[in-house]
Structure formats: structure tokens, C-alpha cells
Amino acid sequence: EAAVTQSPRNKVTVTGGNVTLSCRQTNSHNYMYWYRQDTGHGLRLIHYSYGAGNLQIGDVPDGYKATRTTQEDFFLLLELASPSQTSLYFCASSEQGAYAEQFFGPGTRLTVL
Amino acid sequence: QEKVQQSPESLIVPEGAMVSLNCSFSDSASQSIWWYQQHPGKGPKALISIFSNGNKKEGRLTVYLNRASLHVSLHIKDSQPSDSAVYLCAVSPASSSFSKLVFGQGTSLSVVP
């Protein structure tokens, strides 16, 4: 079965701190995604990538950077964390194509104090 | 920007009941509609998808899509306590060339023994 892992699973930082969230997929998928999930908003797309070195902007990109170093690894960077970025973050991967299923990781809960 | 709304927000049913979940979307040309299931502390997992008008049945699940009324519903027959989870409706916009998904805010289902 498709496998997407995330680390850390929980993270607490302070306002202005630097945070890096990591995601690895072993599905050989081209596409990878970062979402945030907040009560009342569902899942919202932050950034996505269709291969190593590629980065595309999602629907809520402000305050976030991302980098895709290999086909397997996708990172989300918060360089000056703010309390509004307290959320549950999910990574996902999929094959190419508009009808492809997305496979999700277990999530990282981030708290910015 | 595609908009997805789900109802009800939450639902409590007795074991064995038929469950009906609703989702409305804004673009009749949306390419695909997915239902994801999310258990507490886990990432979403795809349950069933539909691309064409009509219905699709898989085991205890049936999904109905009516593009003219911009509505899709998920029905779970003979519900079990293990079906207790958040159900997310996700729509792939017509303009997307990849598996972009816009999610609704979710319906929380509790099946009580």
C-alpha cells in the first residue's frame, strides 16, 4: 500500500521561530502536496510539487516556503512562525492526472505560542 | 475558485442505520468528486470517487452525483461503530490539469452501539 510518513508528529515553537516539517513518500509518485487543516475550513492547499526541484503555489501560501529535494522528500518551512499558523499539517502524494487518488500522511500538529 | 459545502456538520446514528451525507459544489464541470474518511489522529483516506453523473456502489457505500443540481451524496448502509469518523467531500476543479482537490469542511459521524 502507498506510504507517506511525516515528522515530527508534534511540534511546539514560539512566535518568530523557525520550523521545518518533513514528508517522505515511497509510492514513486510525481506529485506531493502540503495542506493545513483547521476547524471550520477543512483541508486547504499550501504548496505542491510535481517533481524534484519543482514548487507550485497553492491556495494559502502566505508565510510558508517549501522545497522538494528528491522525488521522495518534500519539506514545509515556516521561517517566522506566527500563532495563526497553529494547525494540523498533512502531506499527500499522488500520481499524475486529474483523477488520481491522493494518499495522505498521519499529520503533524504544530503549536506556535 | 471552487467552493465545497457539506451538511450536516455532525450526525449521531444507532448501529445498523442508513447514513446520508451531503455535499454541494460550485462548478458543474468539476472533473471528479471524492469522499475521504478521517479517523481521529489519522490522515484522510479515500473511500470512493465518482466522475460521471449517476450513482456508484461499492460494498456498503453508494454515491450519487447530480451535476445539474451541483450535489453529491454518500450513503452508508448498515452503519458500524467503526464507521465513526469525519467524512470529507473533495472536488477536483475543471481547470486543474493534476489531482488538485478542494475540500469541504467535513461531517463528523458517530455510530453508537
Side-chain angles (χ1 to χ4, degrees):
Chain A
E1 184 168 323
V4 180
T5 56
Q6 294 183 237
S7 63
R9 294 295 312 276
N10 289 282
K11 176 74 176 179
V12 179
T13 190
V14 296
T15 299
N18 285 352
V19 176
T20 298
L21 307 184
S22 302
C23 176
R24 167 164 283 200
Q25 57 103 358
T26 58
N27 312 320
S28 301
H29 287 163
N30 288 334
Y31 280 81
M32 295 185 75
Y33 312 83
W34 277 108
Y35 292 91
R36 61 179 289 172
Q37 185 176 36
D38 305 287
T39 303
H41 289 281
L43 284 150
R44 292 180 290 174
L45 183 64
I46 304 171
H47 290 300
Y48 65 98
S49 166
Y50 55 74
N54 175 266
L55 179 65
Q56 302 294 318
I57 294 172
D59 297 325
V60 289
D62 292 347
Y64 301 96
K65 292 184 179 180
T67 181
R68 179 94 175 265
T69 55
T70 65
Q71 187 180 33
E72 294 78 18
D73 298 303
F74 196 28
F75 300 93
L76 186 67
L77 295 78
L78 292 74
E79 293 186 332
L80 287 172
S82 72
S84 64
Q85 294 176 307
T86 293
S87 187
L88 185 55
Y89 291 87
F90 287 100
C91 176
S93 73
S94 76
E95 294 179 345
Q96 194 163 344
Y99 300 92
E101 177 182 347
Q102 289 191 20
F103 294 87
F104 284 80
T108 294
R109 183 165 295 282
L110 174 65
T111 302
V112 183
L113 301 174
Chain B
Q1 170 83 340
E2 179 83 63
K3 295 212 179 342
V4 181
Q5 292 285 334
Q6 293 185 239
S7 63
E9 284 190 13
S10 63
L11 192 58
I12 301 174
V13 301
E15 183 175 355
M18 170 74 85
V19 172
S20 296
L21 307 177
N22 298 297
C23 175
S24 61
F25 52 97
S26 57
D27 184 0
S28 62
S30 298
Q31 299 185 75
S32 60
I33 292 101
W34 294 79
W35 285 94
Y36 280 77
Q37 180 191 56
Q38 185 178 18
H39 284 110
K42 305 283 188 183
K45 183 176 181 181
L47 281 179
I48 191 168
S49 61
I50 190 164
F51 312 130
S52 303
N53 244 7
N55 64 73
K56 179 179 179 181
K57 187 174 187 294
E58 288 185 359
R60 295 187 294 117
L61 305 178
T62 303
V63 60
Y64 295 92
L65 172 60
N66 185 327
R67 290 187 181 277
S69 63
L70 302 175
H71 184 264
V72 60
S73 58
L74 175 67
H75 303 267
I76 306 173
K77 180 181 175 183
D78 188 25
S79 56
Q80 303 296 310
S82 57
D83 294 328
S84 297
V86 173
Y87 289 79
L88 299 165
C89 175
V91 176
S92 179
S95 58
S96 178
S97 62
F98 68 101
S99 179
K100 176 172 183 177
L101 293 176
V102 178
F103 285 83
Q105 79 279 24
T107 293
S108 177
L109 171 66
S110 294
V111 181
V112 295

